[in-house]
Amino acid sequence: MWMHNVAAAVMMMPVATVILQNLPEGPKQSVLVRKFCKAVVLGVIYSAAVRGMSTLTGTGDFVFVVLDRAHLKRELQMLGPMAFAEKAILALFGMLIALWMTRTITYDTPGWGALFNGRAGDGTASVLMATLLFIIPSKKQKGEQLMDWNKCKKLPWNIILLLGAGFAIADGVKTSGLADVLSRALDFLDSAPYLAIAPTVCLISAIITEFTSNNATTTLLVPLLIQIAKTMHVDPLLLMVPGAIGAQFAFLLPTGTLSNLVGFTTGHIDIPDMIKIGLPLMIAGIAVVSILMPTLGA
């Protein structure tokens, strides 16, 4: 919920990999172990993709059959108490979440962002916390901070550039006039009942995001949905919300989102696995959004 899905998948996949490396091997357990490996990897990438939502993928009876609880308990004890650096990172992350949540509380109740006349955004809080990482000492070695440039250079900058490219493409679609063409292609939604529009918008968004970044999908679709909402004389959020959530339902292909690609490169899953689990998950997600938007959403 609190970081990009790619960052969450990159962070959690090594944790899953360590668990999978400690699974017992044997002819009777090999099929069970393979199923569990697939479930763990799919659970990580799908829970990262839907962020605030959760999946039951990876749970079941075999969790208690395969995993050695005593071994996991020994591993936990070997970690020892939290070090200062770990506590500092946790505190900074908690502060970042608090700043994100309180920048603007409600339309009537201003947050700390009002002190800067609206010039401070969520990115301001992110950069502030990131800067503190380069200042606060880690107390592991003398003169070492929580983050330095040598560590920073190892970050997946290619992913950051890829995300930026998605925004650039979406902006190019708008400035080139292609957005207007796509908007006219969606004119059929004007005369459709809202009960049909929410699932349609969600489905269109989910299909597009299988072949491009979910950030690029929302950057492209949201302005179009705003225009459509104006012609329909409805609150734009009634179209924007299912469109934005639908872009998170990238469950079918590794290209859907980079977190899918992170899991796919582990070798534990393949495309048929993703389609088999992802398709009913996407359908269920669209169904839930279609029910909640005209009721709770309204």
Side-chain angles (χ1 to χ4, degrees):
M1 287 180 65
W2 306 109
M3 64 175 65
H4 195 275
N5 51 2
V6 180
V10 170
M11 182 180 71
M12 289 303 300
M13 199 56 68
V15 178
T17 303
V18 170
I19 294 176
L20 299 180
Q21 288 173 347
N22 287 280
L23 295 177
E25 293 292 342
K28 293 183 179 180
Q29 295 176 322
S30 59
V31 175
L32 194 61
V33 168
R34 284 198 299 271
K35 288 182 178 180
F36 182 66
C37 291
K38 291 181 179 181
V40 169
V41 174
L42 288 171
V44 170
I45 63 174
Y46 287 160
S47 57
V50 297
R51 295 178 183 149
M53 305 174 193
S54 61
T55 67
L56 297 179
T57 308
T59 62
D61 297 337
F62 49 80
V63 174
F64 301 100
V65 179
V66 178
L67 286 179
D68 184 351
R69 285 173 169 268
H71 173 76
L72 294 179
K73 189 174 182 180
R74 287 194 301 270
E75 292 285 339
L76 180 61
Q77 291 173 345
M78 288 172 60
L79 289 175
M82 290 182 66
F84 171 81
E86 296 166 334
K87 292 178 181 178
I89 293 292
L90 182 61
L92 290 175
F93 194 37
M95 290 170 58
L96 178 59
I97 294 173
L99 289 174
W100 279 340
M101 297 294 291
T102 58
R103 181 175 65 87
T104 301
I105 299 175
T106 65
Y107 289 114
D108 301 321
T109 308
W112 61 265
L115 300 175
F116 301 92
N117 297 322
R119 289 193 292 267
D122 291 335
T124 308
S126 304
V127 172
L128 173 63
M129 293 297 109
T131 303
L132 291 177
L133 293 177
F134 290 87
I135 299 175
I136 299 175
S138 67
K139 294 189 176 182
K140 288 184 177 181
Q141 296 180 7
K142 187 177 180 180
E144 183 184 57
Q145 281 71 39
L146 294 173
M147 175 65 71
D148 56 45
W149 184 242
N150 288 329
K151 297 174 185 175
C152 195
K153 287 190 293 187
K154 298 178 182 179
L155 293 175
W157 292 101
N158 58 325
I159 293 178
I160 297 175
L161 292 174
L162 185 57
L163 292 175
F167 288 118
I169 291 172
D171 187 63
V173 169
K174 288 187 289 185
T175 56
S176 66
L178 180 58
D180 297 330
V181 176
L182 295 174
S183 180
R184 289 193 295 270
L186 295 176
D187 283 346
F188 71 92
L189 293 175
D190 295 351
S191 57
Y194 182 74
L195 290 177
I197 291 177
T200 302
V201 168
C202 203
L203 179 62
I204 291 173
S205 182
I207 292 174
I208 293 176
T209 200
E210 291 294 344
F211 303 98
T212 185
S213 164
N214 44 15
N215 294 287
T217 300
T218 51
T219 305
L220 171 64
L221 279 183
V222 166
L224 302 180
L225 296 176
I226 292 175
Q227 291 300 119
I228 294 173
K230 289 180 179 179
T231 61
M232 294 176 61
H233 303 290
V234 298
D235 193 315
L237 288 174
L238 290 175
L239 297 184
M240 293 163 61
V241 172
I245 293 179
Q248 308 305 317
F249 297 153
F251 302 137
L252 304 183
L253 299 173
T255 54
T257 180
L258 291 175
S259 57
N260 288 6
L261 189 58
V262 170
F264 186 75
T265 54
T266 63
H268 290 297
I269 59 173
D270 49 30
I271 292 178
D273 293 323
M274 297 184 66
I275 294 177
K276 182 173 65 175
I277 303 297
L279 185 59
L281 193 59
M282 182 179 75
I283 294 173
I286 293 174
V288 170
V289 173
S290 302
I291 294 173
L292 290 181
M293 280 308 302
T295 54
L296 183 63

